[in-house]
Amino acid sequence: MNIDEIEFEEIVQKISSLYQNKKYSDIKATLTEINPADIAVLFDAFAKEQQLLLFRLLPKEEAAETFVELDNETQEALIRAFSDTELREVLDELYLDDTVDIIEEMPATIVKRIIKNTDSQTRASINTLLRYPEDSAGSIMTPEFVDLKKTNTVEDAFKRIRRTGVDKETIYTCYVTDESRHLIGVITVKELLLHDYDDKIEELMETNVIYVNTHDDQETAANLLSKYDFLALPVVDMENRLVGIITIDDAMDVLVDENTEDIHKMNAIMPNEKPYLKMGIVATWKSRIMWLLFLMVSATFTSMIISNFENRLSTVIVLTSFIPMLTGTSGNSGGQASAVIVRALSLNEISFKDIFKVLWKEMRVGLLCGITLAAVNFVKIWFIDRTLLGMSDITFKVDLVISLTLVIEIVFAKMVGCAFPILAKKLKLDPAVISSPFITTVMDALSLLVYFGLATAILRI
Amino acid sequence: MNIDEIEFEEIVQKISSLYQNKKYSDIKATLTEINPADIAVLFDAFAKEQQLLLFRLLPKEEAAETFVELDNETQEALIRAFSDTELREVLDELYLDDTVDIIEEMPATIVKRIIKNTDSQTRASINTLLRYPEDSAGSIMTPEFVDLKKTNTVEDAFKRIRRTGVDKETIYTCYVTDESRHLIGVITVKELLLHDYDDKIEELMETNVIYVNTHDDQETAANLLSKYDFLALPVVDMENRLVGIITIDDAMDVLVDENTEDIHKMNAIMPNEKPYLKMGIVATWKSRIMWLLFLMVSATFTSMIISNFENRLSTVIVLTSFIPMLTGTSGNSGGQASAVIVRALSLNEISFKDIFKVLWKEMRVGLLCGITLAAVNFVKIWFIDRTLLGMSDITFKVDLVISLTLVIEIVFAKMVGCAFPILAKKLKLDPAVISSPFITTVMDALSLLVYFGLATAILRI
């Protein structure tokens, strides 16, 4: 069942009334009809103690799947309420990478309880995974994969999958390793199913293996999975030993999160991981205020430029009317270029070596855009602003200054907009941060310099 | 082998020199070491007639996989150069959804040749798929899936997979249908592998099936795949019959493309599908000029507002210096709110019913941001702009006008920024389009009205 909003309300009401009438077995029957991802959303509608009861009604496997999908606050509250036996049951059903994700978000007391309730082998794996840097391939991989030997037959492989597969996050891609655990090949279950039982893995496996290192960026790993249409990607350590795999569902989550982060950064917001409605007022304020402050203070330059020109501006005061249009247009032009380039960089469509190709392209696009806008603007100012709206102090020369400024500022904006993100990436800064709002602020100052420069020259003020 | 840029250059040179020495079997050996997705990128480095020869050196299956990854121009050129037999061989190896994707981008003469070289059953499927609206679930699904009957045993299922699986895009999720092809259950190969050969599908299958309709949006389908961590999602027609599946790799492509589109739209760029470096100057200009023109002309309002205030402005000309800072800050504040909301809408974190909750939150965040910025700004103007930079015509009242404007415009900006995208979605418009640049333009005008209103009241001009 794929739940829409109306159904959602109905289910919440149904469960609430069953809850009041203590019809727990009916609640249980209702919940088993629902996918764990949706149960987790349902939980939000209930109070803490009700959540615990609902959780206890779930069959073991669904309980674990639901637990993974809950938000950190609810997870923490549930763990606090769990008995040790309950906690162990949930932990037993979780995949290791999910356990690690949960541990990373929990306070120390909870972490201690989790660690206490896992066996020593799991504990060792958790400790290894926790040591990988945040956002690295190692930090999102799971060490639970199916490994085969090259001397195995297809039949051996199926036996191994049947014996160990239930605990593996994916069984569809199996990895072939040598005695020192070096990765020497991969084979998919599809291949296995389409071959005879006594065929040798060695002859069937793909030896041209694409993999990442534990310290590679998680986005790199996700992009590789997407590029090659894999269901899982092997991760090797510094000695080239296979230590884990990244599955496609985790890669998809990485892509979605990285995209959210990029969109936020491109709009002057600091990265944060909480969904919008769950973030408090102060946290939201914190994520937005730093950039706003920085950009506001940076605007001191534009104030200085205008202030220096103040006396001359007062002789042709009409020039003031077009300042927001000019700064707005250069901001939009630069923002277009930077958005396209930031996105192309994150999709690996361009790299630093393309910088001159990109600059040359943006210069010509900027010239085309500038000339088009200037032409339209020249006519618009003359017939609408001057004639229709009666701004009678607009002269031919004033119109010319405004239109010429447009051409020059747009070419500048396109070039600054495309060069900044590429240079940022080269300097190992985040291109998305050097984006729209920052470029807009730079372009505000540049545009005013061009505007006042042309005004001084052409109007002889 | 996972190719980086340096290796890439080396491989191109190696193949070029092998080509000149006519060592074709060595080229073949080199190419089989490389993943088709990388071969497609390599092709860009060679001339048209070389591409054809390289393509002919590829084994049949790799040839088809490479073909899918090529850009449309190269595909078209190859098809023109193919004999009918060659074309048929490639088409035979392609999955139907890929064939349809290619057909959609080809000129009519090529489409005719493709259709002529497919059997009548394939032709019928292609025609059905071509009729689904662009961006619908139907348009990205493939009709090639493994279907089972509920009376089948696990052994039957494996037999069927072995017999028909080679042509299916995924075999890992099998779909159970009744006599009228209604979808009644799903079962994964993992489940099959972990059960006994004589277990009945009926008893193992999951009957609580999540699916989409052919006319649902492709983004909805991709989001469901991501939410529920599926490898494939079934698609049913209006009569609830199973007609196809969407696989995770296609869903991932949809998410990446939709994200690119959102980022472009949020920066006033019209949607376009080509990678940055492959788009010509004129096409790039076309994708950017419409919004720039619209936004520039919209700025007529700001000119009018300033022009009306011109006489009073000339008496306190220092007010002009802060116009770019004020419009910039309100634009950035509104842009933050709209970016967060557009993203939350596309991730289904919020919907129309949340509008008052969102407005109430943004109002408070706006007030917090506004007060912080105003306080910093008040002090900054007094000690930096007035004292340090010597803008001596700044009075206490002028500073007050500027700082009060900040508070009011930021609250407005946050509320406009969050409300516009939500209302746009309610009106079935694209929230991403009603974003940053548009809101910035609206806020430019609003901010000036607040600024001049406060100036008139407080400075009595």
Side-chain angles (χ1 to χ4, degrees):
Chain A
M1 191 165 27
N2 173 12
I3 298 182
D4 65 29
E5 267 178 45
I6 301 161
E7 287 167 337
F8 184 85
E9 290 301 323
E10 282 170 10
I11 295 171
V12 170
Q13 269 166 22
K14 184 176 163 193
I15 295 179
S16 298
S17 86
L18 289 174
Y19 187 93
Q20 277 164 356
N21 301 315
K22 298 201 161 67
K23 291 191 172 164
Y24 300 132
S25 66
D26 289 350
I27 297 183
K28 191 169 177 173
T30 309
L31 288 178
T32 47
E33 287 286 295
I34 305 173
N35 187 294
D38 289 320
I39 298 181
V41 182
L42 274 179
F43 265 50
D44 273 349
F46 293 93
K48 285 272 168 283
E49 63 283 4
Q50 292 175 312
Q51 289 175 348
L52 183 65
L53 187 133
L54 290 181
F55 191 83
R56 284 177 171 154
L57 290 174
L58 293 171
K60 231 164 59 176
E61 207 176 312
E62 271 93 87
E65 285 175 34
T66 304
F67 192 79
V68 171
E69 303 280 342
L70 293 169
D71 60 48
N72 299 139
E73 280 83 12
T74 315
Q75 286 174 338
E76 192 182 326
L78 283 176
I79 296 179
R80 285 188 196 280
F82 284 162
S83 70
D84 274 0
T85 320
E86 276 180 315
L87 179 57
R88 255 197 308 275
E89 272 178 8
V90 172
L91 290 173
D92 275 352
E93 291 287 330
L94 292 184
Y95 293 118
L96 259 180
D97 55 340
D98 292 328
T99 309
V100 171
D101 285 347
I102 292 167
I103 286 180
E104 281 170 339
E105 302 298 329
M106 293 294 139
T109 51
I110 300 276
V111 173
K112 256 189 215 156
R113 264 196 75 199
I114 293 178
I115 297 287
K116 207 186 73 189
N117 282 291
T118 51
D119 59 69
S120 62
Q121 202 197 331
T122 311
R123 205 175 304 156
S125 302
I126 290 176
N127 281 324
T128 313
L129 290 176
L130 281 173
R131 273 197 298 271
Y132 292 113
E134 205 189 349
D135 296 342
S136 68
S139 75
I140 56 164
M141 73 182 187
T142 174
E144 297 155 315
F145 51 86
V146 179
D147 55 341
L148 304 173
K149 299 287 157 227
K150 64 178 180 179
T151 49
N152 288 159
T153 60
V154 169
E155 191 175 7
D156 298 333
F158 279 122
K159 274 193 192 146
R160 189 163 170 79
I161 293 173
R162 277 174 187 271
R163 204 176 61 240
T164 66
V166 71
D167 290 330
K168 310 300 183 190
E169 194 160 343
T170 184
I171 59 160
Y172 299 132
T173 316
C174 303
Y175 299 90
V176 188
T177 52
D178 64 14
E179 308 73 43
S180 346
R181 289 180 46 218
H182 293 127
L183 178 61
I184 56 175
V186 292
I187 183 155
T188 63
V189 164
K190 184 172 179 179
E191 287 291 323
L192 291 174
L193 276 175
L194 300 176
H195 281 93
D196 289 331
Y197 258 27
D198 44 9
D199 284 350
K200 280 267 193 309
I201 297 299
E202 192 169 10
E203 286 145 26
L204 306 178
M205 69 185 187
E206 171 75 58
T207 52
N208 163 23
V209 187
I210 290 163
Y211 58 85
V212 287
N213 194 285
T214 45
H215 283 73
D216 284 339
D217 193 86
Q218 58 174 2
E219 203 175 358
T220 310
N223 282 332
L224 285 177
L225 268 153
S226 158
K227 175 178 170 191
Y228 294 113
D229 293 345
F230 291 153
L231 297 183
L233 186 72
V235 185
V236 301
D237 66 9
M238 293 304 180
E239 282 82 40
N240 260 316
R241 285 175 311 212
L242 179 63
V243 288
I245 58 167
I246 296 172
T247 49
I248 180 104
D249 53 314
D250 293 329
M252 210 148 165
D253 291 344
V254 167
L255 284 187
V256 170
D257 288 349
E258 297 274 349
N259 279 320
T260 304
E261 218 180 286
D262 273 0
I263 289 178
H264 286 183
K265 284 184 196 155
M266 290 169 86
N267 287 281
I269 301 164
M270 310 264 239
N272 56 75
E273 276 175 12
K274 283 205 178 172
Y276 177 76
L277 288 176
K278 302 216 164 172
M279 231 169 118
I281 304 295
V282 174
T284 309
W285 169 77
K286 269 192 198 159
S287 71
R288 299 189 188 172
I289 193 69
M290 290 314 296
W291 270 105
L292 286 182
L293 268 175
F294 173 78
L295 294 170
M296 182 186 79
V297 174
S298 308
T300 306
F301 289 106
T302 58
S303 304
M304 280 168 63
I305 294 168
I306 296 180
S307 164
N308 277 328
F309 199 75
E310 218 169 78
N311 293 331
R312 280 172 287 176
L313 203 54
S314 61
T315 64
V316 196
I317 187 89
V318 70
L319 286 176
T320 316
S321 306
F322 297 94
I323 289 178
M325 184 277 281
L326 288 171
T327 54
T329 304
S330 74
N332 291 334
S333 304
Q336 287 179 330
S338 74
V340 169
I341 295 302
V342 167
R343 187 65 183 158
L345 283 170
S346 88
L347 296 177
N348 291 319
E349 284 174 11
I350 57 170
S351 62
F352 184 70
K353 70 170 171 39
D354 300 312
I355 189 165
F356 293 110
K357 223 187 286 178
V358 172
L359 275 170
W360 172 230
K361 175 171 174 173
E362 289 298 330
M363 205 192 82
R364 288 176 295 160
V365 173
L367 209 57
L368 263 184
C369 287
I371 292 172
T372 319
L373 290 180
V376 172
N377 180 65
F378 191 89
V379 176
K380 189 215 85 158
I381 286 187
W382 199 254
F383 291 105
I384 296 185
D385 298 354
R386 182 175 175 278
T387 313
L388 212 67
L389 303 177
M391 290 159 76
S392 51
D393 40 358
I394 294 176
T395 62
F396 173 81
K397 280 187 173 173
V398 166
D399 199 354
L400 191 68
V401 167
I402 297 165
S403 301
L404 274 181
T405 302
L406 273 174
V407 180
I408 298 171
E409 70 169 15
I410 289 169
V411 173
F412 273 162
K414 292 287 184 201
M415 296 180 74
V416 168
C418 75
F420 274 32
I422 298 180
L423 293 173
K425 184 152 188 184
K426 184 72 185 170
L427 298 172
K428 309 250 180 245
L429 298 171
D430 191 328
V433 170
I434 311 298
S435 183
S436 242
F438 182 70
I439 287 170
T440 302
T441 306
V442 172
M443 282 314 304
D444 278 357
L446 261 178
S447 303
L448 288 173
L449 287 175
V450 172
Y451 190 35
F452 295 151
L454 285 175
T456 312
I458 294 175
L459 304 176
R460 304 188 179 286
I461 50 178
Chain B
M1 191 166 25
N2 173 13
I3 298 183
D4 66 29
E5 268 178 47
I6 301 160
E7 287 167 335
F8 184 84
E9 290 301 323
E10 282 170 10
I11 295 172
V12 168
Q13 270 165 22
K14 184 175 164 193
I15 294 179
S16 298
S17 87
L18 289 172
Y19 188 92
Q20 276 162 358
N21 300 316
K22 296 201 163 55
K23 291 191 172 163
Y24 300 133
S25 66
D26 289 350
I27 298 183
K28 191 169 176 173
T30 309
L31 288 178
T32 46
E33 288 285 295
I34 305 172
N35 187 292
D38 289 318
I39 300 180
V41 182
L42 276 179
F43 265 48
D44 272 349
F46 293 92
K48 286 273 168 287
E49 61 284 4
Q50 293 174 311
Q51 288 177 345
L52 183 65
L53 187 132
L54 290 181
F55 191 83
R56 284 177 171 153
L57 290 174
L58 294 169
K60 233 164 60 176
E61 208 176 309
E62 272 92 86
E65 284 174 33
T66 304
F67 192 80
V68 171
E69 303 280 343
L70 292 169
D71 61 48
N72 300 138
E73 282 82 13
T74 314
Q75 286 173 339
E76 192 182 327
L78 283 175
I79 296 179
R80 286 189 196 281
F82 284 163
S83 69
D84 274 1
T85 320
E86 277 178 317
L87 180 56
R88 256 196 309 274
E89 273 177 10
V90 172
L91 291 173
D92 275 353
E93 291 286 330
L94 291 183
Y95 294 119
L96 261 180
D97 55 341
D98 293 329
T99 310
V100 170
D101 285 347
I102 293 168
I103 285 179
E104 281 171 339
E105 301 299 328
M106 293 292 140
T109 51
I110 301 275
V111 173
K112 257 188 211 155
R113 263 197 75 199
I114 293 178
I115 297 286
K116 208 185 74 189
N117 283 291
T118 51
D119 60 69
S120 61
Q121 204 198 328
T122 311
R123 204 174 306 157
S125 302
I126 290 176
N127 281 324
T128 313
L129 290 177
L130 282 172
R131 273 198 297 272
Y132 292 113
E134 205 187 349
D135 297 341
S136 68
S139 75
I140 57 164
M141 73 182 187
T142 174
E144 296 154 317
F145 52 84
V146 179
D147 54 342
L148 304 173
K149 299 287 157 225
K150 63 177 181 180
T151 50
N152 287 159
T153 61
V154 170
E155 189 175 8
D156 298 335
F158 278 121
K159 275 193 191 147
R160 188 164 171 79
I161 293 172
R162 278 175 186 270
R163 206 173 60 241
T164 65
V166 70
D167 290 331
K168 310 301 184 190
E169 195 160 343
T170 183
I171 60 160
Y172 299 132
T173 316
C174 303
Y175 298 90
V176 188
T177 53
D178 65 14
E179 309 73 44
S180 348
R181 291 179 44 219
H182 293 125
L183 179 61
I184 55 175
V186 292
I187 184 154
T188 64
V189 164
K190 185 170 178 180
E191 288 291 324
L192 291 174
L193 276 174
L194 299 177
H195 282 93
D196 289 329
Y197 258 27
D198 43 9
D199 284 349
K200 280 269 195 304
I201 297 299
E202 193 169 10
E203 286 145 26
L204 307 177
M205 69 186 189
E206 170 75 61
T207 51
N208 162 23
V209 187
I210 290 164
Y211 57 84
V212 286
N213 194 284
T214 46
H215 283 72
D216 284 339
D217 194 83
Q218 59 174 3
E219 204 175 356
T220 309
N223 283 333
L224 285 178
L225 268 154
S226 159
K227 174 177 172 191
Y228 295 112
D229 293 344
F230 292 153
L231 297 182
L233 185 72
V235 185
V236 301
D237 66 9
M238 293 305 181
E239 282 81 40
N240 260 316
R241 285 174 312 212
L242 178 63
V243 288
I245 58 167
I246 296 172
T247 50
I248 180 101
D249 53 315
D250 293 329
M252 211 149 166
D253 291 344
V254 167
L255 283 187
V256 170
D257 288 347
E258 297 273 352
N259 279 321
T260 305
E261 216 180 287
D262 273 1
I263 288 177
H264 286 183
K265 283 183 196 155
M266 289 169 87
N267 288 280
I269 301 164
M270 309 263 239
N272 55 76
E273 277 176 12
K274 283 205 178 173
Y276 176 75
L277 288 176
K278 301 216 166 177
M279 231 171 118
I281 304 296
V282 174
T284 309
W285 168 78
K286 267 192 200 160
S287 71
R288 298 188 190 173
I289 193 69
M290 289 315 295
W291 270 103
L292 286 182
L293 268 174
F294 173 77
L295 295 169
M296 181 186 79
V297 174
S298 309
T300 305
F301 288 107
T302 59
S303 305
M304 279 168 63
I305 294 168
I306 297 181
S307 163
N308 277 328
F309 199 74
E310 219 169 78
N311 293 331
R312 279 171 288 176
L313 203 53
S314 60
T315 64
V316 196
I317 188 87
V318 70
L319 288 176
T320 317
S321 305
F322 297 93
I323 289 178
M325 184 277 280
L326 288 171
T327 54
T329 303
S330 73
N332 291 334
S333 305
Q336 288 179 329
S338 75
V340 169
I341 295 302
V342 168
R343 188 65 184 159
L345 284 169
S346 88
L347 294 177
N348 291 320
E349 284 174 12
I350 56 169
S351 62
F352 185 70
K353 70 170 171 34
D354 300 312
I355 189 164
F356 293 111
K357 222 187 288 177
V358 173
L359 275 170
W360 173 231
K361 174 170 175 174
E362 288 298 330
M363 205 191 82
R364 288 176 297 161
V365 173
L367 209 58
L368 263 185
C369 287
I371 291 171
T372 319
L373 289 179
V376 172
N377 179 67
F378 191 89
V379 176
K380 188 216 84 157
I381 286 187
W382 199 253
F383 290 103
I384 295 184
D385 298 355
R386 184 174 174 282
T387 313
L388 212 68
L389 302 177
M391 291 161 74
S392 52
D393 39 358
I394 294 176
T395 61
F396 174 82
K397 278 189 176 173
V398 166
D399 199 354
L400 190 70
V401 167
I402 298 167
S403 300
L404 274 180
T405 304
L406 273 174
V407 180
I408 298 171
E409 71 170 13
I410 290 170
V411 174
F412 272 163
K414 291 289 183 201
M415 295 180 75
V416 169
C418 74
F420 273 31
I422 298 180
L423 293 173
K425 184 150 188 186
K426 184 72 185 170
L427 299 170
K428 309 249 180 246
L429 298 170
D430 190 330
V433 170
I434 310 298
S435 183
S436 236
F438 182 71
I439 287 169
T440 303
T441 306
V442 172
M443 283 314 303
D444 278 356
L446 262 177
S447 304
L448 288 173
L449 287 175
V450 173
Y451 191 34
F452 294 151
L454 285 175
T456 312
I458 295 175
L459 305 176
R460 305 192 180 284
I461 51 177

